[in-house]
Amino acid sequence: MSYKIAVLPGDGIGPEVVNQGIKVLKSIERVFGDKFEIEYALVGGIAIDEKGNPLPDETFRLCKESDAILLGAVGGPKWDNLPSQLRPEQALLGLRGGLSLYANIRPIKTYNSLIFSSPLKPEIIKDVDFIIIRELTGGLYFGKPKERYKKNGEYFAVDSMIYSEKEIERIARVAFSIAQKRRKKVTSVDKANILETSRLWREVVEKISKEYPDILLEHMYVDNCSMQIVRNPRQFDVILTENTFGDILSDEAAVITGSIGMLPSASLGEGTKGLYEPIHGSAPDIAGKNVANPLGTILSCAFLLRYSLNLEEKAKLIEEAVEKVLDLGYFTQDLYVNNPNAKRLVSTEEMGDLIVKYIERGEIND
Ligand code: IPM
Ligand code: MG
């Protein structure tokens, strides 16, 4: 089969980590004969510089026509002082909103070899394996009014947190369906003691849970959840939450994995088209130095194969390769420091090569 993949490297470390992801997809092509038609487009700060728009029309069109989208990262200090509609981050919102990619999937998993890379105690993070399902096209990010205005000589600003029943229903179904293939527990996170959107959220999630009698549903306030994630993260299987809460909790939870550089994500809508990106961002301080961890992107490629192209076996092979390389103690800089399991410090490119080696030979020899 042939698939069309839009590749948007973006800014900072985006291009270098995306290169490793592409290298891995090409090795899957070589080994299995699938055909990935890869087309590049501009996004974020580099698109502002070259086209005056963080999400140029031709980029959006390419994404619309593709089976899946791989994105590196956007943003950097160079573009930080632009007006809000012209900021690189706007491209992400444009893609999420414009393609209705309402379900953001962010897995949090401990790798045994990285247990000492986390600042949390090994006994706390051992065997943690949960998924955050973050609603991605509603809430504060998209609600209107969203503006600044002047009244009696003083500035005011407003962002609107809005959720419709339908928006909550569809994301709840995603969470329950994913839980069915896992340990069958959903923790819905809200602030229902204060927020009206959260009260509706809780009611609708309760209603949808009736369609999934095999799933255990619990509700948790977001402030408590942020504490539970570092106190007893093993209690979680699937966390379901709204846009802003999910943004914050997923960065917090990333600490469990040892490095935010490890974490992939998938953003999905109704069909199989999806956007895949590491959650780490553009990290301008280490850009261009060949030291960034490409595993978040490589694991995002595994997600791309799984959720958009339905190539589960190949997705699993990539995940197995990542596990094997880490077990052997080959670590990029972010994982290497203070880790007694570290055997060799590797660069961004070397890490990509090691994954490719495993995919092509089923082993990694020195
Ligand atoms: C994320 C990022 C984005 C978000 C930013 C870059 C707009 O933090 O994907 O978590 O807030 O959603
Ligand atoms: Mg974030």
Side-chain angles (χ1 to χ4, degrees):
M1 279 279 275
S2 175
Y3 308 93
K4 185 163 174 173
I5 302 176
V7 177
L8 281 39
D11 308 316
I13 59 172
E16 40 195 310
V17 292
V18 160
N19 277 344
Q20 307 314 307
I22 299 299
K23 217 149 90 177
V24 169
L25 290 176
K26 291 211 184 302
S27 78
I28 296 281
E29 271 188 325
R30 279 195 299 275
V31 174
F32 297 97
D34 300 287
K35 186 86 201 84
F36 304 125
E37 227 182 283
I38 287 165
E39 225 175 289
Y40 287 86
L42 295 172
V43 77
I46 186 168
I48 296 174
D49 289 352
E50 294 192 15
K51 304 273 172 185
N53 178 353
L55 182 60
D57 291 346
E58 59 266 34
T59 299
F60 186 73
R61 212 172 317 119
L62 172 71
C63 291
K64 247 187 131 153
E65 286 165 3
S66 300
D67 296 306
I69 305 147
L70 177 65
L71 189 143
V74 297
K78 182 174 175 197
W79 306 282
D80 270 352
N81 296 318
L82 292 171
S84 62
Q85 352 53 280
L86 256 186
R87 289 182 57 118
E89 290 81 2
Q90 222 34 52
L92 287 181
L93 301 195
L95 286 168
R96 292 169 182 176
L99 300 170
S100 295
L101 302 172
Y102 63 83
N104 185 225
I105 300 176
R106 298 186 166 186
I108 307 292
K109 176 174 137 68
T110 314
Y111 290 88
N112 281 335
S113 45
L114 300 185
I115 209 131
F116 298 104
S117 296
S118 171
L120 298 175
K121 291 189 187 125
E123 61 267 32
I124 300 270
I125 60 171
K126 198 173 171 314
D127 298 326
V128 167
D129 179 5
F130 64 90
I131 294 191
I132 298 177
I133 310 288
R134 167 187 174 193
E135 201 291 326
L136 205 58
T137 52
L140 285 173
Y141 280 63
F142 289 88
K144 297 270 166 50
K146 183 181 197 61
E147 63 195 11
R148 187 182 294 210
Y149 59 93
K150 210 170 191 175
K151 207 168 101 184
N152 303 330
E154 190 188 358
Y155 277 115
F156 289 73
V158 59
D159 292 287
S160 305
M161 193 179 220
I162 303 179
Y163 271 105
S164 74
E165 230 178 315
K166 287 219 164 50
E167 283 176 314
I168 304 168
E169 283 174 2
R170 63 185 187 180
I171 191 72
R173 287 203 176 90
V174 172
F176 287 116
S177 322
I178 287 181
Q180 278 181 324
K181 296 191 199 125
R182 297 175 48 93
R183 301 193 307 278
K184 301 193 164 39
K185 178 175 167 190
V186 170
T187 305
S188 175
V189 174
D190 62 36
K191 187 73 187 171
N193 48 349
I194 299 292
L195 299 176
E196 199 51 43
T197 39
S198 282
R199 287 193 270 271
L200 180 65
W201 182 277
R202 204 175 263 226
E203 266 170 54
V204 175
V205 171
E206 273 293 331
K207 182 181 81 186
I208 299 300
S209 76
K210 306 283 186 286
E211 298 168 17
Y212 301 83
D214 53 331
I215 305 295
L216 174 70
L217 169 66
E218 66 173 18
H219 301 279
M220 196 179 273
Y221 293 139
V222 62
D223 45 353
N224 182 27
C225 182
S226 70
M227 177 173 70
Q228 296 301 331
I229 282 175
V230 287
R231 207 186 68 89
N232 174 19
R234 265 190 302 276
Q235 70 184 288
F236 298 114
D237 179 20
V238 173
I239 290 179
L240 162 64
T241 194
E242 66 87 43
N243 206 344
T244 306
F245 297 162
D247 178 46
I248 298 167
L249 293 178
S250 59
D251 267 35
E252 187 199 6
V255 171
I256 293 171
T257 307
S259 165
I260 197 166
M262 288 299 301
L263 295 186
S265 77
S267 303
L268 308 169
E270 292 305 344
T272 57
K273 189 198 296 297
L275 180 133
Y276 301 84
E277 56 177 324
I279 83 160
H280 51 60
S282 61
D285 51 323
I286 57 165
K289 297 186 176 153
N290 197 21
V291 298
N293 183 350
L295 293 178
T297 306
I298 289 171
L299 290 167
S300 296
C301 291
F303 266 27
L304 183 155
L305 299 182
R306 169 172 298 130
Y307 291 113
S308 282
L309 311 188
N310 201 16
L311 299 172
E312 174 64 26
E313 203 186 312
K314 292 146 200 174
K316 279 219 179 89
L317 178 60
I318 295 177
E319 288 165 349
E320 187 184 303
V322 169
E323 192 121 26
K324 282 278 153 49
V325 169
L326 293 175
D327 281 347
L328 289 171
Y330 293 102
F331 294 165
T332 41
Q333 175 191 266
D334 53 321
L335 306 169
Y336 194 81
V337 183
N338 293 333
N339 191 332
N341 295 327
K343 300 233 167 51
R344 209 174 90 199
L345 178 63
V346 299
S347 67
T348 308
E349 284 185 23
E350 283 170 319
M351 184 57 105
D353 292 339
L354 287 162
I355 302 294
V356 165
K357 205 167 184 183
Y358 185 83
I359 289 171
E360 299 192 347
R361 305 197 194 153
E363 58 173 1
I364 298 157
N365 299 321
D366 268 324

